[in-house]
Amino acid sequence: MHRAARVVICALIPVLLATLAGGAGAQQLLQRAPAAAAARAAPATPTAPAPPRLGTLPDREALNSGTVTVITAPIGGPMSVMGSDMAAVLDDGEKLRVLPILGRGAAQNLIDIVMLKNIDMGFVTTDALDYVKNEYNIPDLNQRVRYIAKLFYNEVHIIARPEIHSLQDLTGKRVFAERSIGLPAARAIFRRFGIEADIDDQTDPTGGLQKLIDGQGDAWIASVSRDAPIIKGVKNDGGKLHLLSIPYDRALQDIYFPSNFTSEQYPNLVPPGVKIETVAAPTVLMVYNWPEQSERYRRTARFVNALFDKIQILQSPPRNPKWRDTVLSAAVPGLIRFKAAQQWLDGARTEPSSQLIQGSPAEFRRFLQERKAQVNLTPEQAAQLYSDFLRRQRAKEMR
């Protein structure tokens, strides 16, 4: 039987029963029954879904005019994390958006700032600046770029075999110094000490360190943040490796500051209670020298104002602790500050008291000359003199 017929019959059953019983109600049921049965037999008409709500794309020109790019470094160090911090803290919708880009390292970052069209600024160490200037014979490099602020320091690590006791012992030896994290420091230090070493700059940092452990080389050098995981993870069974001391010699004082390593930082490479002296290169946020009337200059100036206004937020947890080393007013010798950054500093009444005044290598060198300090200092002597220097700088700022 057809489905519609069955529905009609089922609907008429109560009507027939009522008719047999008689009465006006039965007549009404008979009149309504066919219509009711037809309604039940007809298929239901589906309700059309509401059209989805669409977002509005931002204006292309506004989006581009508010976006800046910052080239950092491979994942694992403070540069990449600090780039992410800036993207999060400084974000202001279409007005300002920071796009961090993973780079190869400080030296390549500087080249990218100068050569790539889409790079506004990046993290660069001062020894990388020295390296690029000499490696590619760019005498006017200091005029092509400007710096925004000094951010933090990278310590120079030289891991060597036990028979290497001093920098001079590296003459003629095989040294792994990968281009992104080691070669700029190796070139700067070796050139100033007159050391001619056999430098392997092609092997990646992890591979070079493994080759050193396997006895295929004599030393490994890298300019990285202290407490670097790649170095703390070195298995040094039997004490076959050690961190080589780098004295704070006068020849290095145009680029570097004194620093040291302790057994607390590297228990695998430094004996308990011993300090190994080394040097540290400032890491700066560098920008191309854009013409003041250009859109790129205005865009970067907007970024600078936001960065300086929110520096205390960046220096607070949970942001990378390296931000706490940032001193907005600290000068970088031999470089000119980006004009918008200098204007912000000139307009600021005072800096937060929590920021340390660190000065420049040239100022510290003059301080050493005033104290008639010896050329080669022990770690304890360098640390004490540097502490005295910082106290004097703070006193000058408070006047």
Side-chain angles (χ1 to χ4, degrees):
M1 184 182 293
H2 195 275
R3 178 177 179 274
R6 287 200 304 269
V7 171
V8 172
I9 291 172
C10 291
L12 290 176
I13 289 174
V15 178
L16 293 172
L17 293 175
T19 303
L20 292 174
Q27 295 298 324
Q28 293 176 359
L29 284 173
L30 283 171
Q31 293 172 2
R32 292 200 300 263
R40 291 188 183 94
T45 302
T47 303
R53 296 184 63 183
L54 299 178
T56 302
L57 281 173
D59 179 75
R60 182 190 297 271
E61 294 301 323
L63 189 62
N64 279 276
S65 65
T67 301
V68 295
T69 56
V70 180
I71 190 162
T72 63
I75 294 175
M79 293 183 186
S80 60
V81 180
M82 292 170 79
S84 297
D85 287 343
M86 287 191 290
V89 173
L90 307 185
D91 184 82
D92 192 14
E94 293 181 21
K95 295 180 180 179
L96 179 62
R97 182 184 177 201
V98 181
L99 292 183
I101 299 173
L102 295 179
R104 293 180 180 174
Q108 186 62 49
N109 285 358
L110 180 57
I111 296 171
D112 291 343
I113 291 170
V114 174
M115 303 298 292
L116 293 185
K117 294 180 179 180
N118 296 324
I119 301 298
D120 292 305
M121 66 199 83
F123 291 74
V124 178
T125 57
T126 52
D127 51 6
L129 183 71
D130 180 80
Y131 165 77
V132 172
K133 186 188 302 182
N134 290 281
E135 186 80 1
Y136 299 98
N137 190 25
I138 311 175
D140 65 339
L141 182 58
N142 291 18
Q143 297 302 319
R144 298 192 188 189
V145 293
R146 295 288 185 263
Y147 78 98
I148 293 173
K150 184 190 293 185
L151 299 179
F152 62 93
Y153 289 86
N154 269 2
E155 276 76 17
V156 179
H157 299 67
I158 301 181
I159 301 178
R161 301 191 62 78
E163 60 271 19
I164 305 296
H165 302 288
S166 68
L167 286 174
Q168 296 299 334
D169 290 341
L170 293 175
T171 300
K173 297 297 193 294
R174 190 182 188 196
V175 178
F176 297 100
E178 198 270 337
R179 297 182 70 86
S180 63
I181 69 170
L183 189 58
R187 291 279 193 240
I189 294 172
F190 291 177
R191 184 172 64 250
R192 284 164 172 76
F193 280 104
I195 297 171
E196 293 288 341
D198 176 17
I199 297 178
D200 179 340
D201 61 4
Q202 298 301 313
T203 304
D204 68 272
T206 303
L209 198 50
Q210 187 59 51
K211 286 183 177 181
L212 174 66
I213 295 171
D214 294 341
Q216 300 179 44
D218 302 285
W220 178 91
I221 183 169
S223 177
V224 293
S225 180
R226 193 156 46 187
D227 291 327
I230 188 175
I231 299 173
K232 295 186 76 169
V234 172
K235 293 183 178 180
N236 190 23
D237 299 334
K240 296 179 180 180
L241 302 173
H242 68 106
L243 278 165
L244 188 65
S245 175
I246 305 175
Y248 191 59
D249 189 275
R250 195 178 302 277
L252 302 178
Q253 293 173 10
D254 62 324
I255 296 180
Y256 295 103
F257 282 93
S259 188
N260 59 65
F261 302 125
T262 66
S263 58
E264 287 76 17
Q265 294 152 355
Y266 296 116
N268 54 335
L269 295 167
V270 181
V274 175
K275 285 186 178 181
I276 305 297
E277 60 182 326
T278 188
V279 293
T283 299
V284 301
L285 187 58
M286 196 163 286
V287 61
Y288 187 76
N289 184 19
W290 303 111
E292 289 184 34
Q293 302 304 317
S294 67
E295 174 61 27
R296 301 294 285 272
Y297 177 92
R298 288 190 291 269
R299 190 187 308 171
T300 307
R302 191 180 305 125
F303 164 86
V304 168
N305 291 332
L307 174 67
F308 284 22
D309 287 342
K310 296 183 178 180
I311 189 64
Q312 286 184 293
I313 299 176
L314 288 166
Q315 291 177 330
S316 304
R319 306 304 166 188
N320 191 283
K322 279 293 182 180
W323 281 113
R324 298 168 202 168
D325 295 338
T326 300
V327 181
L328 297 181
S329 64
V332 180
L335 284 176
I336 301 172
R337 197 187 294 270
F338 186 61
K339 187 174 181 179
Q342 189 60 55
Q343 288 174 335
W344 189 98
L345 292 173
D346 293 341
R349 294 181 180 178
T350 57
E351 285 195 25
S353 59
S354 61
Q355 291 198 21
L356 298 177
I357 305 302
Q358 298 186 5
S360 68
E363 291 171 324
F364 185 55
R365 186 166 60 251
R366 287 193 294 271
F367 177 79
L368 293 177
Q369 293 170 350
E370 292 171 6
R371 294 295 182 92
K372 295 182 172 56
Q374 61 185 5
V375 174
N376 296 317
L377 304 171
T378 66
E380 291 76 14
Q381 291 171 329
Q384 183 59 53
L385 284 170
Y386 193 49
S387 179
D388 294 343
F389 169 69
L390 292 180
R391 282 196 294 271
R392 190 180 77 167
Q393 293 298 101
R394 291 192 200 101
K396 288 168 60 178
E397 287 285 326
M398 295 174 63
R399 291 174 187 169

